[in-house]
Amino acid sequence: MLLDALLSYLHIVLVFSLIVFQAAQTAVLRPAWFNAATLARVQRLARISNISIILVLISGIARFYFGVLSSDWLMRNHLFHIKMALFLALVALGLPAMRAYQRWVATYANNGQLPSESEINTARRWMMASSHLMLLIPLFAVLVARGYGSWPT
């Protein structure tokens, strides 16, 4: 029981970290503020966000195998599958922005050119979509934790 509590705590702390770093990324993606220092900052925030995603996944896998809710029960729970699909969608929605950052860094290194206003706004929209999708995941997490969504055996 203590292990489950500690795994749950670790998982939620990592989820909060992901929220913070995705929000920070979104906040600095403003054309009026964008300069070389911002480019470095957004790349650093993206790296930390990616690490957070990996750690959330690892802690979630640990909860799946070592938590109180059995992995068999979770695999039969359609709300758990929705939660996982939302997490994958959150990651997928962030990918275009991540690729854009890599392009921007390469372009800036080659010729000192920063991204255009439309490129920044496009990356911001992708990150906003990813961040807003994240709001649905806790709903499904709470429902699963309360026993909802189980398919009959």
Side-chain angles (χ1 to χ4, degrees):
M1 200 63 126
L2 179 61
L3 177 61
D4 185 62
L6 293 174
L7 288 173
S8 295
Y9 169 76
L10 176 64
H11 192 64
I12 196 70
V13 165
L14 292 170
V15 168
F16 287 155
S17 297
L18 177 58
I19 292 167
V20 165
F21 290 108
Q22 275 208 316
Q25 247 180 103
T26 304
V28 299
L29 285 171
R30 296 184 186 272
W33 302 348
F34 212 87
N35 56 35
T38 307
L39 179 58
R41 186 174 302 116
V42 82
Q43 186 184 28
R44 188 171 46 255
L45 290 168
R47 191 174 305 119
I48 296 168
S49 183
N50 288 341
I51 291 168
S52 296
I53 288 169
I54 292 166
L55 293 175
V56 165
L57 187 59
I58 291 169
S59 66
I61 290 169
R63 290 190 69 203
F64 182 82
Y65 287 108
F66 305 114
V68 170
L69 299 176
S70 79
S71 56
D72 289 338
W73 183 82
L74 288 169
M75 288 306 293
R76 291 190 316 269
N77 188 307
H78 67 281
L79 296 177
F80 175 77
H81 290 275
I82 292 170
K83 179 182 146 188
M84 293 300 98
L86 287 170
F87 183 75
L88 291 175
L90 172 146
V91 172
L93 286 171
L95 288 176
M98 301 295 170
R99 287 193 200 108
Y101 305 157
Q102 291 170 346
R103 244 186 356 266
W104 299 348
V105 168
T107 300
Y108 187 75
N110 288 338
N111 61 19
Q113 183 180 349
L114 290 170
S116 69
E117 183 175 329
S118 69
E119 289 175 304
I120 296 167
N121 286 332
T122 299
R124 180 177 166 80
R125 277 191 293 279
W126 282 112
M127 289 309 300
M128 291 287 284
S130 178
S131 296
H132 284 99
L133 184 64
M134 190 182 306
L135 295 173
L136 295 173
I137 295 173
L139 170 64
F140 291 96
V142 168
L143 291 171
V144 168
R146 302 302 181 278
Y148 292 99
S150 181
W151 286 323
T153 55

